[in-house]
Amino acid sequence: MGFLSSLLDIVGFGIGIPFGLLVGFFLFVYSQPKDVQDPDVRPLSELDSSTLLDLLPELPFWVKNPDYDRVDWLNKFILNMWPYLDKAICDTIRSMAQPIFAEYIGKYQIEAIEFEKLSLGTLPPILHGIKVYETNEKELSMEPAIKWAGNPNIILVLKWLSFRITIQLVDLQIFAAPRITLKPLVPTFPCFASLVLSLMEKPHVDFGLKILGGDIMSMPGLYRFVQETIKREVAKLYLWPQTLEIPILDAATGAIKKPVGILHVKIVRALKLLKMDFLGASDPYVKLSLSGERLPAKKTTVKRKNLNPEWNEKFKLIVRDPQAQVLELHVYDWDKVGGHDKLGMQLVPLKLLTPHETQEFTLDLLKNSNISDPQKKQRGKIVVELTFDPFKEDHECASGPLDGYGRKESRISRTSDDDTPSGAGLLLVTIQGAEDVEGQRHNNPYAVILFRGEKKKTKMMKKTRDPQWNEEFQFMLEEPPLSEKIHIQVMSQRSGIGFRSKESMGQVDIDLTDVVHNGRINNKYHLINSKNGQIHLEIKWKMI
């Protein structure tokens, strides 16, 4: 029976294979193929509620919200850069964690803490869309939607009482919607001075945590407790309006510092100056300026043939950094022909001054500021009175709210309607730029400011309808400019010589009442006598 069954199996196998191939051939040749049907594609509006609910969590933000842009190119960039970013980020984590670990070594019988393995895995985070805000500020704000389901391999080894305890982080998932602001924008690479981060909603963080090989997150109740604790602690630190500011550029190199006060300088007199003239006299005058400023130095009047001149002349200088800036005083002998001879100089650090307190200094004049250079000749003395008046606090918000059009509200300090501001101050006018300005014969725009009979203008930008000036102008006033207007006109000038070399491209008059009461405005204004032209202005009123 065994032999017979084996024989039948061999015969069946030999007959079955040729017969199956023959049947399959005839079916392939003579059967009629059916048309391939396209998949059923329907818009989201036609789907039933259960199907729609299943799909919504997987849809990217750029599909759900038209304000979000698709950034597949950026995801491809991150994917190709991820192996290098992984190593760079892990090296940063190691360097930051090392001093933290060092604080615990020796405490609680802990012998050592170190990373055995540290890798963020092969799966990079994915941006499901990004929303960019246009603001009137010198900043760039964006909100990416980040989802990261990573496969990190992070093992931390803790040596405690001669025991080796391993802690492993696995299956990390992070869903977050941060707001990233680059500000202020400056003309120094990478073109922004700091990076400000904040979270627009509580992040979702999920992970597994193994200690000695066992997943403790599977313990009943612990998973939910850890999730809520992480969300609560992160929200305390970074949920908007809380922010994390990361400096990128040094303040001295990055942005120009804002004015913080006014230095009142009174040049009183000079004593026993050097005799520089042929007849045994001098014609002295004083030039004064603050270090770090590009503005022209201010000058006193010339006192003819006087070695002990009295000026009693007052000046005001704008202070940006009272801890670092220095008042420079240079005394010269005026000559009708040729250069003026230098009688002496002296420096006064502003950090020596007490705010709102007038201090008198009697200073020995030096040949130069080089300490190692011996000062052999007595050059006389100069007497000055200095008062530093800092501006009142602005109480500006750390991050202004966004309105419905994606623009930031001006961050200003408001006074009550009943309060009438009074006292001296500084009016700062910044001409940011203009849009869609067009001349009849040429487009070489520049802006002109007219205020209280004083005229100031920006540089000329050639062959453009959208000039960007970013120039600041200052007006020191003895009283607030209530019920006053400032006139700003955009002009165009022919680059060569010819008739009608100048023409107006539009103008605007700004009422300064709101500036005085609010402290600051930052808006775009439509230009009068211009078809579509706009000008972007920032005006501040700083009170002493």
Side-chain angles (χ1 to χ4, degrees), residues 398-413:
S399 180
L402 291 163
D403 61 19
Y405 298 96
R407 297 171 298 188
K408 260 189 184 176
E409 295 180 356
S410 296
R411 290 169 291 184
I412 50 183
S413 77

Side-chain angles (χ1 to χ4, degrees), residues 122-165:
T122 59
L123 302 176
I126 297 176
L127 274 67
H128 283 240
I130 187 170
K131 179 166 55 174
V132 179
Y133 291 109
E134 294 182 3
T135 72
N136 289 339
E137 310 295 334
K138 293 182 180 179
E139 63 187 24
L140 176 63
S141 295
M142 63 191 81
E143 291 183 8
I146 301 175
K147 292 186 178 182
W148 184 28
N151 56 346
N153 185 13
I154 302 175
I155 301 178
L156 185 68
V157 177
L158 174 66
K159 294 182 180 179
W160 176 69
L161 293 176
S162 300
F163 292 99
R164 188 174 184 272
I165 303 173

Side-chain angles (χ1 to χ4, degrees), residues 262-268 286-290 298 300 312-319 327-329 348 350 353 358-359 361 382-389:
I262 294 178
L263 178 66
H264 299 267
V265 181
K266 182 179 180 181
I267 306 296
V268 182
V286 182
K287 291 177 65 174
L288 58 152
S289 62
L290 284 176
K298 301 196 175 188
T300 65
N312 291 313
E313 296 182 17
K314 297 180 180 179
F315 302 89
K316 295 178 182 178
L317 303 175
I318 296 172
V319 179
L327 174 65
E328 300 179 3
L329 300 167
V348 182
L350 299 191
L353 304 179
T358 301
Q359 296 177 246
F361 294 86
I382 186 171
V383 181
V384 296
E385 292 181 1
L386 305 179
T387 308
F388 172 55
D389 288 332

Side-chain angles (χ1 to χ4, degrees), residues 37 46 66 98 102 151 183 204 214 327 339 399 403 417 426 492 519:
Q37 296 181 354
E46 296 181 5
Q98 188 174 3
N151 56 346
K183 67 174 187 179
H204 172 77
L327 174 65
S399 180
D403 61 19
D417 295 336
L426 178 68
S492 178

Side-chain angles (χ1 to χ4, degrees), residues 243-307:
T243 60
L244 170 65
E245 184 169 355
I246 303 173
I248 304 297
L249 292 176
D250 181 58
T253 327
I256 299 175
K257 292 189 176 183
K258 298 179 180 179
V260 297
I262 294 178
L263 178 66
H264 299 267
V265 181
K266 182 179 180 181
I267 306 296
V268 182
R269 67 178 67 89
L271 305 170
K272 299 180 180 179
L273 296 177
L274 288 178
K275 301 176 182 179
M276 304 298 291
D277 292 347
F278 178 75
L279 298 177
S282 293
D283 304 321
Y285 71 94
V286 182
K287 291 177 65 174
L288 58 152
S289 62
L290 284 176
S291 60
E293 285 289 344
R294 298 180 180 178
L295 298 175
K298 301 196 175 188
K299 302 178 183 179
T300 65
T301 57
V302 178
K303 298 297 183 180
R304 297 301 183 92
K305 302 187 183 300
N306 196 333
L307 299 181

Side-chain angles (χ1 to χ4, degrees), residues 138-280:
K138 293 182 180 179
E139 63 187 24
L140 176 63
S141 295
M142 63 191 81
E143 291 183 8
I146 301 175
K147 292 186 178 182
W148 184 28
N151 56 346
N153 185 13
I154 302 175
I155 301 178
L156 185 68
V157 177
L158 174 66
K159 294 182 180 179
W160 176 69
L161 293 176
S162 300
F163 292 99
R164 188 174 184 272
I165 303 173
T166 59
I167 304 172
Q168 184 177 9
L169 181 68
V170 294
D171 300 331
L172 178 63
Q173 295 184 14
I174 299 176
F175 303 154
R179 173 179 292 173
I180 303 173
T181 303
L182 312 179
K183 67 174 187 179
L185 301 179
V186 296
T188 304
F189 190 80
C191 299
F192 58 93
S194 63
L195 188 147
V196 181
L197 299 175
S198 61
L199 295 174
M200 304 312 296
E201 58 185 35
K202 292 183 180 180
H204 172 77
V205 182
D206 191 7
F207 58 90
L209 191 63
K210 293 183 179 181
I211 297 181
L212 297 176
D215 189 358
I216 66 170
M217 298 302 289
S218 60
M219 296 175 60
L222 181 60
Y223 174 79
R224 182 176 295 276
F225 171 75
V226 172
Q227 288 282 320
E228 295 300 325
T229 302
I230 292 176
K231 288 184 179 181
R232 183 173 61 252
E233 294 303 319
V234 172
K236 287 181 181 179
L237 296 175
Y238 307 122
L239 189 64
W240 190 89
Q242 304 295 330
T243 60
L244 170 65
E245 184 169 355
I246 303 173
I248 304 297
L249 292 176
D250 181 58
T253 327
I256 299 175
K257 292 189 176 183
K258 298 179 180 179
V260 297
I262 294 178
L263 178 66
H264 299 267
V265 181
K266 182 179 180 181
I267 306 296
V268 182
R269 67 178 67 89
L271 305 170
K272 299 180 180 179
L273 296 177
L274 288 178
K275 301 176 182 179
M276 304 298 291
D277 292 347
F278 178 75
L279 298 177

Side-chain angles (χ1 to χ4, degrees), residues 54-118:
D54 293 338
L55 289 176
L56 282 179
E58 305 303 325
L59 293 177
F61 268 56
W62 61 267
V63 176
K64 303 177 190 178
N65 193 331
D67 291 338
Y68 280 82
D69 296 323
R70 188 174 181 176
V71 285
D72 290 344
W73 66 271
L74 185 55
N75 288 322
K76 291 180 181 179
F77 173 79
I78 296 175
L79 177 63
N80 292 325
M81 289 290 295
W82 185 245
Y84 308 97
L85 291 172
D86 177 23
K87 293 181 180 179
I89 295 172
C90 290
D91 290 341
T92 303
I93 293 175
R94 287 181 185 274
S95 60
M96 294 176 62
Q98 188 174 3
I100 299 176
F101 293 163
E103 294 180 1
Y104 291 93
I105 296 177
K107 297 180 181 179
Y108 313 109
Q109 305 298 323
I110 297 175
E111 299 177 3
I113 306 176
E114 59 185 9
F115 285 108
E116 182 178 286
K117 293 182 179 180
L118 179 57

